[in-house]
Amino acid sequence: MNRILKRALADIRDNGFLNAITVATIALAILISSAFGLFFINASRLMTLWQQGVRVMVYLQPEFADAAVEDLRSRLEKLPAVGKAVFISKDDGMARLKKQLKHQLSLLSNLKANPLPHAFEVQLRPAVRDWEEVADLAAAIQKLAGVAEVEYGQGWLDRFAAILRLFKLAGFGMCALFFIATVFIVANTTRLVLYSRREEIEIMRLVGASEGFIRMPLYLEGILQGAIGGAAGLAGLLAGHLYLSAQIDPGLLPSQFEVRFFPPALIAAILGGSMLAGCLGSLLSLRQQLKT
Amino acid sequence: MMAPPDQQAIIRLFGVHRRYGALNALTDIGLDIFQNEFVFITGPSGAGKSTLLKLLYLGEPASEGQILVDGLNLARISRKRIPDLRRRFGIIFQNYRLIPTRTVFANVSLVLEAMGQKEHLIRKKVHSVLRTVGLEDRDSALPLTLSGGEQQRVAVARAIVGNPQILLADEPTGSLDPSSAGVIMALLQRYHRRGATVIIATHDHEMIGRTRGRVIRLEHGRLLPQPTADTP
Ligand SMILES: Nc1ncnc2c1ncn2[C@@H]1O[C@H](COP(=O)(O)OP(=O)(O)OP(=O)(O)O)[C@@H](O)[C@H]1O
Ligand SMILES: [Mg+2]
């Protein structure tokens, strides 16, 4: 094994320029696709946080009878997405408003009557993550008797979710493309190495070297290229990540949120993927070229 | 055949043909070569000497006929076992065929590495064989920095380092001056004395005249009848 590694390293050294280009290309592919992945992961975590904060406010019609409150509550809580429905009477509502407007109380002092409607604050079950479920729920509540208006989150959150979905698709597509590109880059490098070594390989065969002995270092080279390129790409991404997350104004993000790098398991998976791509590249080329 | 009858044939050819398209490079070759024989294959250029050697180690397949090497039937051998066959041979090619980017040491050690031998053993054996061919101090040189005679000695070292039963040499002295040629021939004879079978393709009649061995003559791809027994 040690000897095979030595031969692979010697090969890489002898074809230094070619290998450098290959590794750089792999690094770039990994950098771009994992930058995408990293953005996506952080954005969806942010999205989840926002969604967890979502409350559906249900405003009742002004003529709603106090007696019907309990009936509506039980009907709300029967909806599968609903965890709990808290009644906020128009007086409670006014009290909250006053609290919020502590310093501008004079604005409210002119009011003769309380203009606020009764309301329910509906909390979602923790299982409800999908934005569409929230929208469906809102539509269902809207149909209940006595409900004037349903308010849930902002429209931009909706659009953000849609963009994120698009991102996810594009991200997967891009990862697949870069994976294939890496395979072909390594395959091409292996092909050129094979070409430059064809006489040597022929001699090895003639002195009794097995196909395994001949191919092993070339597989290893592909794997090494994948590993080095992958590590370089991730290192570049980490540097960019550290730089950019230091630049972000923390006030823009929810307080519980911090921009994170990939967890170790995912880093291992990315490296593994890039090594696999390298190995497949060599394999492809060897299958094609070394038919005697 | 004039080989001693008590000896065993290590190589047997029955009705072997080799064609390149319409060209018959070898026609109906029947031949036994015995263990520890010293054999010359001779004949004019294009007679089929190199082709005959190539068929033995499956450098090329025979178009027709049977070849047995040490009990292996070359027509039936599986691809996986070809390395096994080739390790029975040490081969000195017509034009050295050293790997130009590898040192003398690496060119020779390759054979043992391919056999999967231990590193310290390889080191020992390669140094020993380089001493045998008188190149112990050139082990880190690249082949192209050596003279023709020296390159051929590296080729000899590579051919014998794995201690093969059969040594094949295609024009081993073809491009060498007489004294270098003498050195190479002495090395081959020395290896023969260790019990190996040696087969040399050559048209150097002077060398054949100076060396004991059976002479097999080829012309236009056919064996000529044996004119004499061992040349003196
Ligand atoms: N790969 C090949 N394709 C086509 N013809 C070939 C091939 N190899 C050999 N030949 C032909 O087969 C014949 C025998 O060639 P071979 O190399 O065996 O001759 P040789 O006796 O070794 O000659 P020399 O003494 O010049 O080395 C020649 O006519 C040659 O042109
Ligand atoms: Mg020849």
Coordinates of all heavy atoms in Angstrom, one line a residue, chain A residues 151-214:
Chain A
E151 N -54.7 36.9 9.7 CA -53.4 37.6 9.4 C -52.3 36.6 9.8 O -52.3 36.1 10.9 CB -53.3 38.9 10.2 CG -52.5 39.9 9.5 CD -52.4 41.2 10.3 OE1 -51.6 41.2 11.2 OE2 -53.3 42.1 10.1
Y152 N -51.4 36.3 8.9 CA -50.3 35.4 9.3 C -49.1 35.9 8.5 O -49.0 35.9 7.3 CB -50.6 34.0 8.9 CG -50.8 33.7 7.5 CD1 -49.8 33.1 6.7 CD2 -52.0 34.0 6.8 CE1 -49.9 32.9 5.4 CE2 -52.1 33.8 5.5 CZ -51.1 33.2 4.7 OH -51.2 33.0 3.4
G153 N -48.1 36.3 9.2 CA -46.8 36.6 8.6 C -46.9 37.6 7.5 O -48.0 38.1 7.2
Q154 N -45.7 37.8 6.9 CA -45.7 38.8 5.8 C -45.6 38.1 4.5 O -45.1 37.0 4.4 CB -44.5 39.8 6.0 CG -44.6 40.5 7.3 CD -43.9 39.8 8.5 OE1 -43.9 38.6 8.6 NE2 -43.3 40.6 9.4
G155 N -46.0 38.8 3.5 CA -46.0 38.2 2.2 C -44.6 37.9 1.7 O -44.3 36.9 1.1
W156 N -43.6 38.7 2.2 CA -42.2 38.5 1.7 C -41.7 37.1 2.2 O -40.9 36.5 1.6 CB -41.3 39.6 2.1 CG -41.1 39.8 3.6 CD1 -41.8 40.5 4.5 CD2 -40.1 39.1 4.4 NE1 -41.3 40.4 5.7 CE2 -40.2 39.5 5.7 CE3 -39.1 38.2 4.0 CZ2 -39.4 39.0 6.7 CZ3 -38.2 37.7 5.0 CH2 -38.4 38.1 6.4
L157 N -42.2 36.7 3.4 CA -41.7 35.4 3.9 C -42.1 34.3 3.0 O -41.4 33.4 2.7 CB -42.3 35.2 5.3 CG -41.6 34.3 6.3 CD1 -40.2 34.7 6.4 CD2 -42.3 34.2 7.6
D158 N -43.3 34.5 2.4 CA -43.8 33.5 1.5 C -42.9 33.5 0.2 O -42.5 32.4 -0.2 CB -45.2 34.1 1.0 CG -46.2 32.9 0.9 OD1 -45.8 31.8 1.1 OD2 -47.4 33.2 0.6
R159 N -42.6 34.7 -0.3 CA -41.8 34.7 -1.4 C -40.4 34.2 -1.1 O -39.8 33.5 -1.9 CB -41.7 36.2 -1.9 CG -42.9 36.6 -2.7 CD -42.6 37.8 -3.6 NE -42.3 39.0 -2.7 CZ -43.2 39.8 -2.2 NH1 -44.5 39.5 -2.3 NH2 -42.9 40.8 -1.5
F160 N -39.9 34.5 0.1 CA -38.6 34.0 0.5 C -38.6 32.5 0.4 O -37.6 31.8 -0.1 CB -38.3 34.5 1.9 CG -36.9 34.2 2.3 CD1 -35.8 34.8 1.8 CD2 -36.7 33.2 3.3 CE1 -34.5 34.5 2.2 CE2 -35.4 33.0 3.8 CZ -34.3 33.6 3.2
A161 N -39.7 31.9 0.9 CA -39.8 30.4 0.9 C -39.7 29.9 -0.5 O -39.0 28.9 -0.8 CB -41.0 30.0 1.6
A162 N -40.4 30.5 -1.4 CA -40.4 30.1 -2.8 C -39.1 30.2 -3.4 O -38.6 29.3 -4.1 CB -41.4 30.9 -3.6
I163 N -38.4 31.3 -3.1 CA -37.0 31.5 -3.7 C -36.1 30.4 -3.1 O -35.3 29.8 -3.8 CB -36.5 32.8 -3.3 CG1 -37.2 33.9 -4.1 CG2 -35.0 32.9 -3.6 CD1 -36.9 35.3 -3.6
L164 N -36.3 30.1 -1.8 CA -35.5 29.1 -1.2 C -35.7 27.7 -1.9 O -34.7 26.9 -2.1 CB -35.8 29.0 0.3 CG -34.6 28.7 1.2 CD1 -33.5 29.7 1.0 CD2 -35.1 28.7 2.7
R165 N -36.9 27.4 -2.2 CA -37.2 26.1 -2.9 C -36.5 26.1 -4.2 O -35.9 25.1 -4.6 CB -38.7 26.0 -3.0 CG -39.4 25.2 -1.9 CD -40.8 24.7 -2.3 NE -41.7 25.8 -2.7 CZ -42.4 26.6 -1.9 NH1 -42.2 26.3 -0.6 NH2 -43.1 27.5 -2.3
L166 N -36.5 27.2 -4.9 CA -35.9 27.2 -6.2 C -34.4 27.0 -6.0 O -33.8 26.3 -6.8 CB -36.1 28.6 -6.8 CG -36.2 28.7 -8.3 CD1 -37.5 28.1 -8.8 CD2 -36.0 30.2 -8.8
F167 N -33.9 27.6 -5.0 CA -32.4 27.5 -4.7 C -32.0 26.1 -4.4 O -31.0 25.6 -4.9 CB -32.1 28.3 -3.4 CG -31.2 29.4 -3.6 CD1 -31.5 30.5 -4.3 CD2 -29.9 29.3 -3.1 CE1 -30.6 31.5 -4.5 CE2 -29.0 30.3 -3.4 CZ -29.3 31.4 -4.0
K168 N -32.9 25.4 -3.7 CA -32.6 24.0 -3.4 C -32.5 23.2 -4.6 O -31.5 22.4 -4.8 CB -33.8 23.5 -2.5 CG -33.5 22.2 -1.8 CD -34.7 21.9 -0.9 CE -34.6 20.6 -0.2 NZ -35.8 20.5 0.7
L169 N -33.5 23.4 -5.5 CA -33.5 22.7 -6.8 C -32.2 23.0 -7.6 O -31.5 22.1 -8.0 CB -34.7 23.1 -7.6 CG -35.8 22.1 -7.6 CD1 -37.1 22.7 -8.3 CD2 -35.4 20.8 -8.4
A170 N -31.9 24.3 -7.8 CA -30.8 24.7 -8.5 C -29.5 24.1 -7.9 O -28.6 23.7 -8.5 CB -30.7 26.2 -8.6
G171 N -29.5 24.1 -6.5 CA -28.3 23.6 -5.8 C -28.1 22.2 -6.1 O -27.0 21.8 -6.4
F172 N -29.1 21.4 -6.0 CA -29.0 20.0 -6.3 C -28.5 19.8 -7.7 O -27.6 19.0 -8.0 CB -30.3 19.2 -6.1 CG -30.5 18.8 -4.7 CD1 -31.7 19.1 -4.1 CD2 -29.5 18.2 -3.9 CE1 -32.0 18.8 -2.8 CE2 -29.7 17.9 -2.6 CZ -31.0 18.2 -2.0
G173 N -29.1 20.5 -8.7 CA -28.7 20.4 -10.1 C -27.2 20.7 -10.2 O -26.5 20.0 -10.9
M174 N -26.8 21.8 -9.5 CA -25.4 22.3 -9.7 C -24.5 21.2 -9.1 O -23.4 21.0 -9.7 CB -25.3 23.6 -9.0 CG -24.2 24.4 -9.6 SD -24.4 26.1 -9.3 CE -24.0 26.3 -7.6
C175 N -24.8 20.7 -7.9 CA -23.9 19.7 -7.3 C -23.8 18.5 -8.2 O -22.7 18.0 -8.4 CB -24.5 19.2 -6.0 SG -24.3 20.4 -4.7
A176 N -24.9 18.1 -8.8 CA -24.8 16.9 -9.8 C -23.9 17.3 -10.9 O -23.0 16.5 -11.3 CB -26.2 16.6 -10.2
L177 N -24.1 18.5 -11.5 CA -23.2 18.9 -12.6 C -21.8 19.0 -12.3 O -20.9 18.5 -13.0 CB -23.7 20.3 -13.1 CG -24.8 20.3 -14.1 CD1 -25.1 21.7 -14.5 CD2 -24.3 19.5 -15.3
F178 N -21.5 19.5 -11.1 CA -20.1 19.7 -10.7 C -19.5 18.3 -10.4 O -18.3 18.1 -10.7 CB -19.9 20.6 -9.5 CG -19.8 22.0 -9.9 CD1 -20.7 22.9 -9.4 CD2 -18.9 22.4 -10.8 CE1 -20.7 24.3 -9.7 CE2 -18.9 23.8 -11.2 CZ -19.7 24.7 -10.7
F179 N -20.3 17.4 -9.9 CA -19.8 16.0 -9.6 C -19.4 15.4 -10.9 O -18.3 14.9 -11.1 CB -20.9 15.2 -8.9 CG -20.5 13.9 -8.5 CD1 -19.9 13.7 -7.3 CD2 -20.7 12.8 -9.3 CE1 -19.4 12.4 -6.9 CE2 -20.3 11.5 -8.9 CZ -19.7 11.3 -7.7
I180 N -20.3 15.5 -11.9 CA -20.0 14.9 -13.2 C -18.8 15.6 -13.8 O -17.9 14.9 -14.4 CB -21.2 15.0 -14.1 CG1 -22.4 14.2 -13.6 CG2 -20.9 14.6 -15.6 CD1 -23.7 14.4 -14.2
A181 N -18.7 16.9 -13.7 CA -17.6 17.6 -14.3 C -16.3 17.1 -13.6 O -15.3 16.9 -14.3 CB -17.7 19.1 -14.0
T182 N -16.3 17.0 -12.3 CA -15.1 16.5 -11.6 C -14.7 15.1 -12.1 O -13.5 14.8 -12.4 CB -15.4 16.4 -10.1 OG1 -15.7 17.7 -9.6 CG2 -14.1 16.0 -9.4
V183 N -15.7 14.2 -12.3 CA -15.4 12.9 -12.8 C -14.7 13.0 -14.2 O -13.6 12.4 -14.4 CB -16.7 12.1 -13.0 CG1 -16.4 10.8 -13.8 CG2 -17.3 11.8 -11.6
F184 N -15.2 13.9 -15.0 CA -14.6 14.0 -16.4 C -13.2 14.7 -16.3 O -12.4 14.3 -17.1 CB -15.6 14.7 -17.3 CG -16.6 13.8 -17.8 CD1 -18.0 14.0 -17.5 CD2 -16.3 12.7 -18.6 CE1 -18.9 13.2 -17.9 CE2 -17.3 11.9 -19.0 CZ -18.6 12.1 -18.7
I185 N -13.1 15.6 -15.5 CA -11.8 16.3 -15.4 C -10.7 15.3 -14.9 O -9.6 15.2 -15.6 CB -11.8 17.4 -14.3 CG1 -12.7 18.6 -14.8 CG2 -10.4 17.9 -14.0 CD1 -13.1 19.5 -13.7
V186 N -11.0 14.5 -13.9 CA -10.1 13.5 -13.5 C -9.9 12.4 -14.6 O -8.8 12.0 -14.8 CB -10.6 12.8 -12.1 CG1 -9.6 11.7 -11.8 CG2 -10.6 13.9 -11.0
A187 N -11.0 12.0 -15.2 CA -10.8 11.1 -16.3 C -9.9 11.5 -17.3 O -9.0 10.8 -17.8 CB -12.2 10.8 -16.9
N188 N -10.0 12.8 -17.7 CA -9.2 13.4 -18.7 C -7.7 13.4 -18.3 O -6.8 13.1 -19.0 CB -9.6 14.8 -19.1 CG -9.0 15.2 -20.4 OD1 -9.0 14.5 -21.4 ND2 -8.5 16.4 -20.4
T189 N -7.5 13.8 -17.0 CA -6.1 13.8 -16.5 C -5.5 12.4 -16.5 O -4.4 12.2 -17.0 CB -6.1 14.3 -15.0 OG1 -6.8 15.6 -15.0 CG2 -4.7 14.5 -14.5
T190 N -6.3 11.5 -16.1 CA -5.8 10.1 -16.1 C -5.5 9.6 -17.5 O -4.5 9.0 -17.7 CB -6.9 9.1 -15.5 OG1 -7.3 9.7 -14.2 CG2 -6.4 7.7 -15.3
R191 N -6.3 10.0 -18.4 CA -6.1 9.7 -19.8 C -4.8 10.2 -20.3 O -4.0 9.5 -20.9 CB -7.2 10.2 -20.7 CG -7.3 9.7 -22.1 CD -8.6 10.2 -22.8 NE -8.5 11.7 -22.9 CZ -7.9 12.3 -23.9 NH1 -7.2 11.6 -24.8 NH2 -7.9 13.6 -23.9
L192 N -4.5 11.5 -19.9 CA -3.2 12.1 -20.4 C -2.1 11.4 -19.7 O -1.0 11.2 -20.3 CB -3.2 13.6 -20.1 CG -4.2 14.4 -20.9 CD1 -4.3 15.8 -20.5 CD2 -3.8 14.3 -22.4
V193 N -2.2 11.1 -18.4 CA -1.2 10.4 -17.7 C -0.9 9.0 -18.3 O 0.2 8.7 -18.6 CB -1.5 10.2 -16.2 CG1 -0.5 9.3 -15.5 CG2 -1.5 11.6 -15.5
L194 N -2.0 8.4 -18.6 CA -1.9 7.1 -19.3 C -1.1 7.2 -20.6 O -0.3 6.4 -21.0 CB -3.2 6.4 -19.5 CG -3.9 5.8 -18.4 CD1 -5.3 5.4 -18.7 CD2 -3.1 4.6 -17.9
Y195 N -1.5 8.3 -21.3 CA -0.9 8.4 -22.6 C 0.6 8.7 -22.5 O 1.4 8.1 -23.2 CB -1.6 9.6 -23.4 CG -1.0 9.7 -24.8 CD1 -1.5 8.9 -25.8 CD2 -0.1 10.7 -25.1 CE1 -1.0 8.9 -27.0 CE2 0.4 10.8 -26.4 CZ -0.1 9.9 -27.4 OH 0.4 10.0 -28.6
S196 N 1.0 9.5 -21.5 CA 2.4 9.8 -21.4 C 3.1 8.6 -20.8 O 4.3 8.5 -20.9 CB 2.6 11.0 -20.4 OG 2.3 10.6 -19.1
R197 N 2.4 7.6 -20.3 CA 3.1 6.5 -19.7 C 2.8 5.2 -20.5 O 3.0 4.1 -20.0 CB 2.5 6.2 -18.3 CG 2.6 7.4 -17.4 CD 3.5 7.1 -16.2 NE 4.3 8.2 -15.9 CZ 4.8 8.4 -14.7 NH1 4.6 7.6 -13.8 NH2 5.5 9.5 -14.5
R198 N 2.3 5.3 -21.7 CA 1.9 4.1 -22.4 C 3.0 3.1 -22.5 O 2.8 1.9 -22.4 CB 1.2 4.4 -23.7 CG 2.0 5.0 -24.7 CD 1.1 5.7 -25.7 NE 1.9 6.4 -26.8 CZ 2.6 7.5 -26.6 NH1 2.6 8.1 -25.4 NH2 3.3 8.0 -27.6
E199 N 4.2 3.6 -22.9 CA 5.3 2.7 -23.1 C 5.7 2.0 -21.7 O 5.9 0.8 -21.7 CB 6.5 3.5 -23.6 CG 7.9 2.8 -23.6 CD 8.0 1.6 -24.6 OE1 7.0 1.4 -25.4 OE2 9.0 1.0 -24.7
E200 N 5.7 2.8 -20.7 CA 6.0 2.3 -19.4 C 5.0 1.2 -18.9 O 5.4 0.2 -18.4 CB 6.0 3.5 -18.4 CG 6.3 3.1 -17.0 CD 6.4 4.3 -16.1 OE1 6.5 5.4 -16.6 OE2 6.3 4.1 -14.9
I201 N 3.8 1.5 -19.2 CA 2.7 0.5 -18.8 C 2.9 -0.8 -19.6 O 2.8 -1.9 -19.1 CB 1.3 1.1 -19.0 CG1 1.1 2.2 -17.9 CG2 0.2 0.1 -19.0 CD1 -0.2 3.0 -18.1
E202 N 3.2 -0.6 -20.9 CA 3.5 -1.8 -21.8 C 4.6 -2.6 -21.2 O 4.6 -3.8 -21.1 CB 3.8 -1.3 -23.2 CG 3.9 -2.4 -24.2 CD 2.8 -3.4 -24.3 OE1 1.6 -3.0 -23.9 OE2 3.0 -4.5 -24.7
I203 N 5.7 -1.9 -20.8 CA 6.9 -2.6 -20.2 C 6.5 -3.3 -18.9 O 6.8 -4.4 -18.7 CB 8.0 -1.6 -20.0 CG1 8.6 -1.1 -21.3 CG2 9.1 -2.3 -19.2 CD1 9.6 0.0 -21.2
M204 N 5.7 -2.6 -18.1 CA 5.3 -3.2 -16.9 C 4.5 -4.5 -17.1 O 4.7 -5.5 -16.5 CB 4.4 -2.3 -16.1 CG 5.2 -1.2 -15.4 SD 4.1 0.2 -15.0 CE 3.9 0.1 -13.3
R205 N 3.7 -4.5 -18.1 CA 2.9 -5.7 -18.5 C 3.9 -6.8 -18.9 O 3.7 -8.0 -18.5 CB 2.0 -5.4 -19.6 CG 0.7 -4.7 -19.2 CD -0.4 -4.9 -20.3 NE -1.6 -4.2 -19.9 CZ -2.1 -3.2 -20.5 NH1 -1.5 -2.8 -21.6 NH2 -3.2 -2.7 -20.1
L206 N 4.9 -6.4 -19.7 CA 5.7 -7.4 -20.3 C 6.6 -8.1 -19.2 O 7.1 -9.2 -19.4 CB 6.6 -6.8 -21.4 CG 5.8 -6.4 -22.6 CD1 6.7 -5.8 -23.7 CD2 5.1 -7.7 -23.2
V207 N 6.9 -7.3 -18.1 CA 7.7 -7.9 -17.1 C 6.8 -8.6 -16.0 O 7.3 -9.0 -15.0 CB 8.7 -6.9 -16.4 CG1 9.6 -6.3 -17.4 CG2 7.9 -5.9 -15.6
G208 N 5.6 -8.8 -16.3 CA 4.7 -9.6 -15.5 C 3.9 -8.8 -14.4 O 3.5 -9.4 -13.4
A209 N 3.8 -7.5 -14.6 CA 2.9 -6.8 -13.6 C 1.5 -7.1 -13.9 O 1.0 -7.2 -15.0 CB 3.2 -5.3 -13.8
S210 N 0.7 -7.3 -12.8 CA -0.7 -7.5 -13.0 C -1.4 -6.2 -13.3 O -0.9 -5.1 -13.1 CB -1.3 -8.1 -11.7 OG -1.2 -7.1 -10.7
E211 N -2.7 -6.3 -13.8 CA -3.4 -5.1 -14.1 C -3.7 -4.3 -12.9 O -3.6 -3.1 -12.9 CB -4.8 -5.5 -14.8 CG -4.7 -5.9 -16.2 CD -4.0 -4.9 -17.1 OE1 -4.5 -3.8 -17.2 OE2 -2.9 -5.2 -17.6
G212 N -3.9 -5.0 -11.8 CA -4.1 -4.3 -10.5 C -2.9 -3.5 -10.1 O -3.1 -2.3 -9.7
F213 N -1.8 -4.1 -10.3 CA -0.5 -3.4 -9.9 C -0.4 -2.1 -10.8 O 0.0 -1.0 -10.3 CB 0.7 -4.3 -10.2 CG 2.0 -3.7 -9.9 CD1 2.5 -3.6 -8.6 CD2 2.8 -3.1 -10.9 CE1 3.8 -3.0 -8.4 CE2 4.0 -2.6 -10.7 CZ 4.5 -2.5 -9.4
I214 N -0.8 -2.2 -12.0 CA -0.7 -1.0 -12.9 C -1.7 0.0 -12.6 O -1.4 1.2 -12.6 CB -0.8 -1.5 -14.4 CG1 0.4 -2.4 -14.7 CG2 -0.9 -0.3 -15.3 CD1 0.3 -3.1 -16.1

